[in-house]
Amino acid sequence: MRWQALVSSCAMIIVPLFLVAFNCLAAELVLPPLIADPQQNAGEVPQRPCRFTGDFKQERTVEELEAPLVSTGSFMFICDSGLLWEVHKPIVDSRVYSIEKLNFRIRKNLEITQLKGIAESRTATLLLDFFGGNTEALAKDFELMGDSPEFLVLRPRKKTVQRRLTQLIVEQDGNVVRITIQSPATGDVVLSIDNIANVEEVDLDAACENFSQQARPNCQVLNRPNDFVVTQQDPSR
C-alpha cells in the first residue's frame, strides 16, 4: 500500500512541473512545437496544435526502495475539453482536468472522485494553460537560463516555491524532451515525454476511445464532466 501511494502521488505531483518546462522550451523561446501544424504556410512559425497525445516515463529515487521508482503512461490534450493524464504502470490511475473547471480522479476499479480545493484548482489551471500554449505567466514565476534550444534551466523566483523546487533542467533530443526536476524534499525526478502526435479525428469521443486504455469512463468524464458531478451529488439519478 505504501508503494502504491508513492507511485500515485509522485506521478501526479510532477505533472505541473513538467508542463512548465516543456512549454517553456517550445513557446517561451519561440521554438516550433514538436508537432507542427500542417496548415501553416512555409516560413511561418508553427502554432501549437490544439489536439495531441503523447507518452511519458517518470523515474524517482525513493529511500525505501533499492531501485528507482518508475511509472509510465500517456496523455491526451483536447483544447475543447481538457487534459486526460493516464498512468499505466506499475498501477493504473487517471486524472481529468476539464476546461469546465471540473477535475476528477479515476481509479482502476472505475471509481470516480471529483477533485476539489484550491490546490487542485491551481494545478488544473496550470496544466490547461501550458498545454494550450498560454505561457505569459511563466516569466513571472521562473528565471530562464540557457544558451541553446536543446538545454534550458528554470529557477523559481519566489522563495515559497524554492522550498519545494530548486530548478528544472530541460533537455531536448529530437522529439524527446527530458526534464530533471530537482527538489529539496524529494530529490531528483526525471520525466521524459515522447511519441507526440496530432489527433486527427473530428469526433472527440472516437478520438479519446482510440487513445485511452480505460476509455470508459475516462473519455466520458473528459468530454462530459458535468454529467459526473450530477451523478456524485445525487446517487439516485
Side-chain angles (χ1 to χ4, degrees):
M1 185 64 67
R2 165 69 173 163
W3 179 65
Q4 289 188 346
L6 283 170
V7 175
S8 179
S9 62
C10 182
M12 293 306 156
I13 289 172
I14 298 306
V15 174
L17 300 181
F18 147 67
L19 287 172
V20 170
F22 175 74
N23 284 277
C24 174
L25 182 67
E28 189 69 16
L29 297 185
V30 201
L31 296 177
L34 297 184
I35 301 297
D37 185 344
Q39 301 300 320
Q40 288 288 316
N41 296 324
E44 292 184 1
V45 176
Q47 299 297 311
R48 184 178 305 281
C50 186
R51 304 176 179 183
F52 55 94
T53 61
D55 297 329
F56 67 84
K57 177 181 179 181
Q58 178 181 294
E59 299 175 82
R60 176 187 173 191
T61 301
V62 181
E63 292 184 359
E64 293 92 335
L65 304 176
E66 295 182 359
L69 188 63
V70 178
S71 60
T72 59
S74 56
F75 67 87
M76 168 181 256
F77 175 74
I78 303 292
C79 59
D80 303 322
S81 301
L83 173 67
L84 171 57
W85 186 271
E86 297 185 348
V87 178
H88 300 157
K89 295 180 180 180
I91 64 171
V92 175
D93 197 76
S94 302
R95 294 289 198 279
V96 169
Y97 296 100
S98 163
I99 62 171
E100 302 289 340
K101 297 185 178 181
L102 299 171
N103 310 306
F104 301 87
R105 178 183 181 183
I106 306 162
R107 293 178 171 84
K108 184 178 181 179
N109 64 1
L110 307 185
E111 178 185 351
I112 303 171
T113 304
Q114 186 174 357
L115 304 175
K116 299 181 179 180
I118 296 177
E120 290 292 346
S121 177
R122 289 177 177 174
T123 298
T125 299
L126 180 62
L127 290 170
L128 295 175
D129 283 347
F130 279 97
F131 261 122
N134 181 11
T135 57
E136 292 183 359
L138 186 61
K140 297 179 182 179
D141 297 328
F142 291 90
E143 180 183 2
L144 281 62
M145 294 168 287
D147 55 4
S148 73
E150 291 79 23
F151 184 84
L152 185 67
V153 177
L154 295 86
R155 290 179 180 169
R157 299 183 184 275
K158 296 181 180 179
K159 292 184 178 180
T160 54
V161 179
Q162 292 172 4
R163 299 190 189 104
R164 304 188 304 271
L165 173 65
T166 304
Q167 63 183 10
L168 303 175
I169 301 174
V170 186
E171 302 167 273
Q172 183 174 17
D173 182 9
N175 282 355
V176 178
V177 177
R178 183 175 181 268
I179 302 99
T180 301
I181 303 159
Q182 297 180 340
S183 168
T186 62
D188 288 2
V189 176
V190 178
L191 188 64
S192 302
I193 180 170
D194 58 9
N195 297 326
I196 299 176
N198 282 322
V199 174
E200 303 295 345
E201 294 95 332
V202 176
D203 187 326
L204 296 183
D205 288 322
C208 185
E209 291 187 9
N210 289 336
F211 156 81
S212 177
Q213 292 192 9
Q214 187 175 277
R216 296 179 181 274
N218 289 13
C219 295
Q220 287 87 345
V221 176
L222 175 65
N223 293 326
R224 288 175 290 279
N226 285 289
D227 293 351
F228 292 87
V229 174
V230 172
T231 300
Q232 292 180 36
Q233 292 177 346
D234 185 2
S236 65
R237 293 191 61 177

